[in-house]
Amino acid sequence: MAIVCPNCAHENMEGALFCQDCGAKLVAVNGLNTAAVSDTGGYARRAAAANKTDAYTATDSVLSLHVVRTGQILPMVGREEFTLGRVSEGQSILPDVDLSPYEAYSQGVSRLHATIRVFNDAVSIADLGSSNGTRLNDNKLQPHREYTIQHGDMIMLGQFRLQALVRQDD
């Protein structure tokens, strides 16, 4: 099963919160507002070839981001690098994770604020030269420099607070 983006009709993995192609929000506050369609074999075939299941869950992700203000959990799955920011009208380059639904604009989040990398179970963050800066555990980050993220770390994009939930393998 895939989720079809209402904005661009791209087929996304089941459980996706944002469209992988255009960045549009796929989930409404009261649940999914997109339609599920049956898989025609494309994604399932690729996933089977990669020895993966046909759907990701929060437990499959190395990193999830907890939106402190709302309690929402955003699993970071499907790629190694994610840009965090907000979408505004006429924007040609969109963030991978659109924080607009969480009042990111009023909290000082830039359109392309920061990037998070997940590589070999290690997680890092870099500020992309944002207007209001990025903080990791109250320490201001220098732009375009990677900093390691640990489980429970607090990330501030402007005044927008996220908590890093990094999977702990025993």
Side-chain angles (χ1 to χ4, degrees), residues 86-92 94 111:
R86 61 178 174 79
V87 173
S88 68
E89 192 174 327
Q91 185 175 346
S92 59
L94 302 173
R111 292 178 200 150

Side-chain angles (χ1 to χ4, degrees), residues 114-138:
T115 185
I116 290 183
R117 289 188 58 215
V118 179
F119 185 72
N120 291 336
D121 293 340
V123 181
S124 64
I125 187 168
D127 181 85
L128 295 174
S130 63
S131 297
N132 295 304
T134 301
R135 293 183 172 272
L136 181 61
N137 297 323
D138 290 327

Side-chain angles (χ1 to χ4, degrees), residues 1-136:
M1 298 284 281
I3 298 175
V4 176
C5 175
N7 186 49
C8 70
H10 178 76
E11 289 187 17
N12 294 275
M13 293 181 288
E14 184 176 3
L17 298 174
F18 302 95
C19 178
Q20 185 177 10
D21 194 43
C22 74
K25 183 174 100 170
L26 299 175
V27 179
V29 173
N30 59 353
L32 291 177
N33 64 356
T34 58
V37 295
S38 63
D39 188 272
T40 58
Y43 176 74
R45 198 169 38 249
R46 289 188 306 274
N51 252 348
K52 296 181 181 177
T53 62
D54 63 350
Y56 288 101
T57 65
T59 59
D60 294 327
S61 66
V62 171
L63 172 70
S64 293
L65 297 175
H66 169 237
V67 180
V68 174
R69 188 166 183 223
T70 65
Q72 181 103 19
I73 303 293
L74 308 174
M76 303 290 108
V77 293
R79 55 183 9 158
E80 291 179 352
E81 189 169 317
F82 303 88
T83 54
L84 305 177
R86 61 178 174 79
V87 173
S88 68
E89 192 174 327
Q91 185 175 346
S92 59
I93 300 174
L94 302 173
D96 299 315
V97 180
D98 178 18
L99 299 172
S100 299
Y102 309 103
E103 299 182 20
Y105 177 78
S106 66
Q107 302 268 327
V109 176
S110 294
R111 292 178 200 150
L112 295 174
H113 198 106
T115 185
I116 290 183
R117 289 188 58 215
V118 179
F119 185 72
N120 291 336
D121 293 340
V123 181
S124 64
I125 187 168
D127 181 85
L128 295 174
S130 63
S131 297
N132 295 304
T134 301
R135 293 183 172 272
L136 181 61

